[in-house]
Amino acid sequence: MQMVRNIYTIIFHSLFLVLIKHLFAELFWKAPELLKTNGGTQKGDIYSLGIITNEIVTRQFPYQDMKESAKEIVQNVAKLDDPPYRPSLHCPTSDKTPWFSDQKVRNRMNALISKMWSNQPEDRPASVHEVRKVFREIFPEKSGSITERVILMMEKYAANLEQKVEDRTKELREEKKKADMLLYRMLPRQVADILKQGLEVEAQQFEKVTVYFSDVVSFTNLCATSTPMEVVKFLDDMYTLFDTIIKKYDVYKVETIGDAYMLVSGLPKPNGEDHVVEITETALALINGVRTFKVRHKPGYQLQIRVGIHSGPCCAGVVGKTMPRYCLFGDTVNTASRMESNGQAMRIHLSESTFELLVKWGIYALQKRDVIDIKGKGSMNTYFCDGKFDHCKKRDSKKPEIFADIADGLDDDSLTN
């Protein structure tokens, strides 16, 4: 039994030595500056071509006449001695090879090979094309020689490799572009760019934002008379319409939960006093879009939504590592949600803070609502925005301070239409 173990040990040791020798022998063609890396360079390819050219000239395997082991040979090459440790340039078959019978030709070939496998990459020929040019000068009448063919094949291979690299790089850019587009749909661009750099996104406090909430009127009844697949298709159609509309405005879509649609303006990039107008304009556009929206599985059904808007301070930040979400926190979010749930079909329900900001613009038809009791907030003065004045149908770029003197002279009765 011990003898069998010894035999297996000897066999295993022999195979291990052969494997090690083979692994180091494969490094004979690798440039010394690349021995510790897995990459490659054009100058490294020139070094490999020098080793191959020497094989063709001498008709010998690299380092064939060296006594050192493959591992020792590689270690000697890596030392970068001067002169460099390289295969022998001696040509034992020169008498049988007419190409190298001329001493001048042999000297020029040796000089070229020595330059190709120089320790310093910058001392090597710049490209395979340059090597080929020297070969043509050495062998002007031997354009069809095996050496010339090898160089030509390698030149074609290099050109083809460069094209493949360029194609793969182009494909990589396209895939990266698609990934970026998907990421920008899930998170604000500014936030996504920070995450792409591997950095943490710190939560921020924003003092002036306007939050929008909307939901579908009688959504529960609609679901009760529809199949789950029909509900999914309906929501997809509706949100596709909404997403198309909001692209025209400076708003950020926070999320959708069931039939609830949430937007915000004024973050993550503050926009001064414009946040209330951007949300109001978006709300008006969404209500107009709903009026002509068709529910595919209920052709005669008239879709209606409720809209609630509130303005105030808000905290925003990225929550979670897996499928991270950009979320809003604060009383402003809660109040906007209450405005929506206590609103009326196809009307924009405003809090008092939003009303005070909108009235300064002087371009919207605002109506005071009776004081109502809001869950968790108590009694509140709220308002409706029923559209824009006829002379202001187009988006007005005038700043609110222009209308400040008008707003100061308005009372609640004058705002009722």
Side-chain angles (χ1 to χ4, degrees), residues 305-318:
I305 62 172
R306 270 186 302 265
V307 176
I309 298 175
H310 176 62
S311 303
C314 180
C315 180
V318 176

Side-chain angles (χ1 to χ4, degrees), residues 217 286-292 302-307 344-348 385-386:
V217 177
L286 291 175
I287 287 178
N288 287 333
V290 167
R291 288 194 175 100
T292 58
Q302 180 56 58
L303 180 67
Q304 292 183 318
I305 62 172
R306 270 186 302 265
V307 176
Q344 296 179 3
M346 300 302 284
R347 301 190 77 178
I348 303 172
C385 175
D386 293 325

Side-chain angles (χ1 to χ4, degrees), residues 138-373:
I138 298 175
F139 305 105
E141 76 288 354
K142 298 291 184 181
S143 59
S145 67
I146 185 172
T147 306
E148 177 73 6
R149 291 174 195 163
V150 170
I151 297 299
L152 182 61
M153 289 174 63
M154 291 198 66
E155 190 176 40
K156 290 181 178 179
Y157 173 77
N160 186 46
L161 184 61
E162 289 177 2
Q163 184 61 45
K164 285 185 177 180
V165 170
E166 184 178 347
D167 292 341
R168 295 294 184 271
T169 303
K170 185 178 179 180
E171 291 176 5
L172 180 62
R173 290 198 197 100
E174 290 297 322
E175 292 302 319
K176 183 178 181 299
K177 186 177 179 181
K178 292 178 183 178
D180 287 346
M181 288 176 61
L182 180 60
L183 186 61
Y184 292 148
R185 289 179 181 178
M186 298 174 63
L187 296 169
R189 180 177 290 268
Q190 301 95 316
V191 174
D193 289 339
I194 295 175
L195 290 176
K196 283 166 59 179
Q197 297 174 24
L199 304 176
E200 292 288 337
V201 179
E202 296 183 0
Q204 288 182 279
Q205 179 72 23
F206 299 89
E207 296 303 325
K208 298 179 180 180
V209 304
T210 298
V211 178
Y212 163 106
F213 272 96
S214 68
D215 72 348
V216 175
V217 177
S218 301
F219 180 68
T220 303
N221 295 334
L222 179 62
C223 292
T225 58
S226 307
T227 66
M229 189 61 69
E230 289 172 338
V231 173
V232 171
K233 291 181 179 179
F234 153 66
L235 290 175
D236 181 57
D237 290 343
M238 182 180 70
Y239 288 147
T240 298
L241 171 66
F242 286 7
D243 293 345
T244 302
I245 292 174
I246 68 173
K247 289 179 181 179
K248 303 174 184 178
Y249 305 94
D250 183 16
V251 298
Y252 172 68
K253 176 184 174 182
V254 182
E255 62 181 343
T256 58
I257 303 175
D259 63 322
Y261 196 73
M262 181 180 178
L263 304 172
V264 65
S265 183
L267 66 80
K269 183 178 179 181
N271 53 5
E273 300 292 336
D274 292 345
H275 55 91
V276 67
V277 172
E278 293 294 337
I279 286 291
T280 304
E281 292 287 342
T282 304
L284 292 171
L286 291 175
I287 287 178
N288 287 333
V290 167
R291 288 194 175 100
T292 58
F293 179 81
K294 301 297 182 184
V295 180
R296 277 195 281 178
H297 67 284
K298 289 182 177 292
Y301 187 84
Q302 180 56 58
L303 180 67
Q304 292 183 318
I305 62 172
R306 270 186 302 265
V307 176
I309 298 175
H310 176 62
S311 303
C314 180
C315 180
V318 176
V319 177
K321 300 298 182 184
T322 302
M323 294 185 66
R325 301 301 301 270
Y326 189 70
C327 299
L328 310 186
F329 300 93
D331 187 63
T332 298
V333 178
N334 297 331
T335 304
S337 177
R338 297 303 183 194
M339 290 299 102
E340 174 269 313
S341 59
N342 288 274
Q344 296 179 3
M346 300 302 284
R347 301 190 77 178
I348 303 172
H349 194 202
L350 311 175
S351 67
E352 190 164 20
S353 62
T354 301
F355 164 78
E356 290 173 352
L357 293 173
L358 271 184
V359 75
K360 295 178 181 179
W361 290 80
I363 58 177
Y364 297 99
L366 305 175
Q367 179 182 357
K368 189 176 187 303
R369 189 182 186 185
D370 293 336
V371 176
I372 61 174
D373 186 63

